[in-house]
Amino acid sequence: MERYKEEFIEFMVDSDVLKFGDFVTKSGRKTPFFVNTGFYRTGTQLKRLGGYYAKAIHDQFGLDFDILFGPAYKGIPLSVAASIAISEQYGRDIRYCSNRKEIKDHGDKGILLGSPLSAGDKVLLIEDVTTAGTSIEETMPIIRAQGDVQVCGLVVSVDRMERGKGEKSALTEISETYGFRTAAIVTMAEVVEHLYNRPYKGKVYIDDALKAAIDAYYAQYGV
């Protein structure tokens, strides 16, 4: 595993974004792990987060695109942070764009904020974690309504590696439905590989008992 992925896993733990215990996802699944990017709350955290996204985007998609689109609401700071990091790390000036939940009827009118979308633009979607693909379902009609733009991919922070609405993973379902590639900074398999029975700052986050719970979860919901 690349060192930046190991650092990102530790960064999620330090930021209280990656947690282990008993949780319930929005879809009602009881899960022994949870990823909540709402806990990135400082400028330093957002700068580091943008850097990890920039590295993953560069490695897995290259930089041949024009706009980073972050669906509201969590995608808004992600698109901003990652576009800044791409500029700093790779010298490529990428525009950012996000949608509003409600259409604004005064001032900067419309449903979009940041850069407008124009015909011929290549757009890369950026999200936190995708479990069922709901936000992408809501986002794609908004993007398509702006004109002849090309969505070239989706990058998320963590691939939970579990079924979406059918028998395939949510990222695979999105890829097959919309015809673009999907990628993640890390997968849950990599998280387990890095933390299982390995102390981090004096604590073992995934011991035998938690590993068994994760295995049981994937036996039920994995792909």
Side-chain angles (χ1 to χ4, degrees):
M1 189 191 318
E2 297 94 326
R3 179 56 191 156
Y4 88 93
K5 292 189 174 190
E6 296 175 342
E7 291 176 354
F8 179 64
I9 293 167
E10 294 166 3
F11 171 59
M12 287 194 292
V13 171
D14 290 340
S15 302
D16 240 4
V17 166
L18 175 61
K19 298 183 178 182
F20 301 98
D22 296 310
F23 307 95
V24 178
T25 67
K26 185 183 294 185
S27 58
R29 296 174 181 175
K30 294 182 179 180
T31 173
F33 58 89
F34 199 73
V35 179
N36 184 357
T37 57
F39 277 85
Y40 295 120
R41 294 173 173 172
T42 72
T44 299
Q45 288 174 331
L46 286 175
K47 182 176 181 178
R48 286 190 64 186
L49 178 62
Y52 291 122
Y53 267 108
K55 172 67 172 170
I57 289 168
H58 174 267
D59 288 358
Q60 303 196 53
F61 292 98
L63 298 175
D64 184 22
F65 62 95
D66 307 296
I67 293 178
L68 268 179
F69 190 102
Y73 288 105
K74 289 183 179 179
I76 297 174
L78 297 181
S79 64
V80 173
S83 62
I84 292 172
I86 289 172
S87 174
E88 291 180 342
Q89 294 175 201
Y90 302 106
R92 179 84 160 84
D93 205 15
I94 299 293
R95 290 176 281 151
Y96 86 92
C97 182
S98 296
N99 64 295
R100 295 183 172 96
K101 289 290 188 179
E102 303 83 18
I103 297 177
K104 190 177 179 184
D105 60 4
H106 62 281
D108 180 17
K109 297 182 180 180
I111 197 169
L112 301 181
L113 56 86
S115 173
L117 300 179
S118 303
D121 280 339
K122 294 180 181 179
V123 180
L124 182 67
L125 302 176
I126 182 170
E127 275 221 297
D128 55 348
V129 179
T130 297
T131 302
T134 304
S135 66
I136 300 301
E137 287 182 357
E138 297 170 349
T139 300
M140 287 301 294
I142 294 171
I143 293 176
R144 287 171 172 167
Q146 308 309 308
D148 184 19
V149 300
Q150 175 189 348
V151 177
C152 53
L154 165 68
V155 60
V156 299
S157 60
V158 180
D159 179 359
R160 287 182 59 98
M161 301 178 65
E162 61 189 81
R163 295 197 308 272
K165 295 180 178 180
E167 295 302 312
K168 299 179 180 180
S169 75
L171 289 181
T172 298
E173 289 177 349
I174 290 169
S175 180
E176 293 182 352
T177 298
Y178 299 106
F180 53 70
R181 290 200 305 115
T182 60
I185 302 175
V186 295
T187 67
M188 273 307 298
E190 290 170 327
V191 170
V192 173
E193 175 189 338
H194 185 57
L195 294 179
Y196 177 46
N197 278 343
R198 180 180 297 176
Y200 174 62
K201 292 185 176 179
K203 179 178 179 180
V204 174
Y205 285 86
I206 302 180
D207 57 14
D208 289 338
L210 184 58
K211 175 65 161 54
I214 293 173
D215 289 345
Y217 182 78
Y218 279 114
Q220 184 172 6
Y221 297 115
V223 291

